[in-house]
Amino acid sequence: MAYKTILTVVTDPNLKASALEQAITLASREDAHLDILCLGVDRTQMGYYYAGTNAMLMQETLQKAQEDAVEIQKAVKKRMAAETIRWSSEAAVAQIAGLAHLVSHRARFTDLVVMPKPYGPDKGIEDEAALEAAMFDGHAPVLVVPVAADTSDVGKRIVIAWNESAEALMAIRAAIPMLRAADYVNIAVIDPPQHGPDRSDPGGLLSQMLGRHGIKSEIAVLAKTMPRIADVLSRHVQDIDADLIVMGAYGHSRFREAILGGATRNMLEKAEVPVLMAH
């Protein structure tokens, strides 16, 4: 089991805002084929204009999105010209409402999607939409990388955020190629339930499963000494000098996380190391 097809989505001609560099590095390391989706996004919502203006505005905004897609692909081809990895690029246009279908269709046929952090002052709604489309509709694991992250050696020291959820287990299974190659794997369990079936050995069955894959792991049971799970996890990552987090995504609904917050959104906002997520 390995990552042989990697996808990244680029929505801005300024390639520094994308995860292209990290995807290139990872594809080279894994000897994988890199698919690059150059996506021009029409960010307008036509239902909010006066009658009679929709057709004209739609033509104008779609034309701008098409120009963006061409410009993005031109920048990508220029960047990739000297690369020796196997790669391909595709220019496409989507309105926000149709973005999920386009991205998810590409994500279904990849082993791993590499995306930038979706939140920040220079990020648009399309960044979050593309990430969620890959996970929810594409059913693909997503490696979310900070802009300055180096993926050449990512996965040497890995923290698994384990809460016994189906989402976490999906992420762990998707991360097995990296876990096998890691020097150190730490299973972090935060405030395990006192009356659960694994109360006497939290994380024990997961450690056993990983061991049968040849993956040695240690278990750290952490108290929730900070208001947010993401804060406890981030501090633990710093304490043990980890370079990758593996965790399930959106255990609650996306709407609830968007309004009330949650471990997924909090981690995506503040993570300083790459995060491999699955839902």
Side-chain angles (χ1 to χ4, degrees), residues 108-190:
R108 284 176 189 165
F109 302 99
T110 63
D111 299 313
L112 183 67
V113 181
V114 181
M115 296 289 290
K117 290 173 65 174
Y119 305 115
D122 59 339
K123 297 298 180 181
I125 189 174
E126 65 275 8
D127 296 296
E128 183 181 21
L131 185 151
E132 292 184 354
M135 278 196 294
F136 280 82
D137 301 314
H139 304 288
V142 179
L143 181 68
V144 183
V145 293
V147 172
D150 180 7
T151 53
S152 57
D153 286 324
V154 69
K156 293 295 184 183
R157 297 178 64 83
I158 301 176
V159 167
I160 296 173
W162 178 235
N163 61 358
E164 299 188 9
S165 69
E167 292 83 6
L169 201 53
M170 285 288 291
I172 292 163
R173 286 175 174 148
I176 282 178
M178 287 191 180
L179 293 168
R180 279 178 172 166
D183 295 332
Y184 176 73
V185 176
N186 182 276
I187 300 171
V189 186
I190 301 173

Side-chain angles (χ1 to χ4, degrees), residues 5-275:
T5 304
I6 295 174
L7 169 70
T8 192
V9 182
V10 183
T11 60
D12 192 319
N14 177 16
L15 301 182
K16 292 181 179 179
S18 73
L20 180 60
E21 292 301 325
Q22 291 90 340
I24 292 169
T25 301
L26 197 60
S28 176
R29 192 183 88 175
E30 298 292 317
D31 190 26
H33 185 283
L34 176 60
D35 290 329
I36 307 167
L37 179 59
C38 306
L39 191 57
V41 181
D42 176 5
R43 298 168 179 83
T44 59
Q45 297 185 28
M46 301 310 297
Y48 294 96
Y49 293 98
Y50 291 108
T53 62
N54 283 9
M56 181 175 63
L57 283 171
M58 181 177 290
Q59 181 179 359
E60 183 177 333
T61 55
L62 282 176
Q63 182 176 347
K64 177 62 168 63
Q66 289 170 347
E67 292 170 356
D68 287 347
V70 170
E71 188 177 354
I72 293 167
Q73 189 176 42
K74 183 178 178 180
V76 165
K77 287 184 175 180
K78 182 178 179 180
R79 169 62 186 86
M80 299 300 296
E83 289 295 332
T84 58
I85 65 170
R86 299 183 301 279
W87 66 278
S88 61
S89 66
E90 176 188 6
V93 174
Q95 291 182 303
I96 286 293
L99 184 148
H101 176 74
L102 180 62
V103 173
S104 65
H105 186 263
R106 303 303 186 276
R108 284 176 189 165
F109 302 99
T110 63
D111 299 313
L112 183 67
V113 181
V114 181
M115 296 289 290
K117 290 173 65 174
Y119 305 115
D122 59 339
K123 297 298 180 181
I125 189 174
E126 65 275 8
D127 296 296
E128 183 181 21
L131 185 151
E132 292 184 354
M135 278 196 294
F136 280 82
D137 301 314
H139 304 288
V142 179
L143 181 68
V144 183
V145 293
V147 172
D150 180 7
T151 53
S152 57
D153 286 324
V154 69
K156 293 295 184 183
R157 297 178 64 83
I158 301 176
V159 167
I160 296 173
W162 178 235
N163 61 358
E164 299 188 9
S165 69
E167 292 83 6
L169 201 53
M170 285 288 291
I172 292 163
R173 286 175 174 148
I176 282 178
M178 287 191 180
L179 293 168
R180 279 178 172 166
D183 295 332
Y184 176 73
V185 176
N186 182 276
I187 300 171
V189 186
I190 301 173
D191 272 359
Q194 296 181 358
H195 304 290
D198 299 326
R199 61 187 180 277
S200 62
D201 186 20
L205 288 176
L206 174 60
S207 180
Q208 180 185 79
M209 183 191 86
L210 294 177
R212 290 170 180 167
H213 282 279
I215 301 164
K216 295 181 180 179
S217 60
E218 292 184 0
I219 300 171
V221 179
L222 309 173
K224 190 184 176 186
T225 55
M226 305 174 78
R228 301 189 302 183
I229 293 292
D231 294 329
V232 178
L233 196 57
S234 295
R235 185 175 63 183
H236 182 60
V237 167
Q238 292 176 352
D239 287 345
I240 67 172
D241 194 27
D243 59 25
L244 176 68
I245 301 169
V246 175
M247 65 182 289
Y250 297 102
H252 301 296
S253 72
R254 284 174 286 180
F255 177 77
R256 173 176 170 174
E257 294 230 359
I259 302 301
L260 301 178
T264 305
R265 185 182 178 96
N266 293 339
M267 184 55 66
L268 289 176
E269 287 177 339
K270 69 177 300 177
E272 296 180 0
V273 300
V275 183

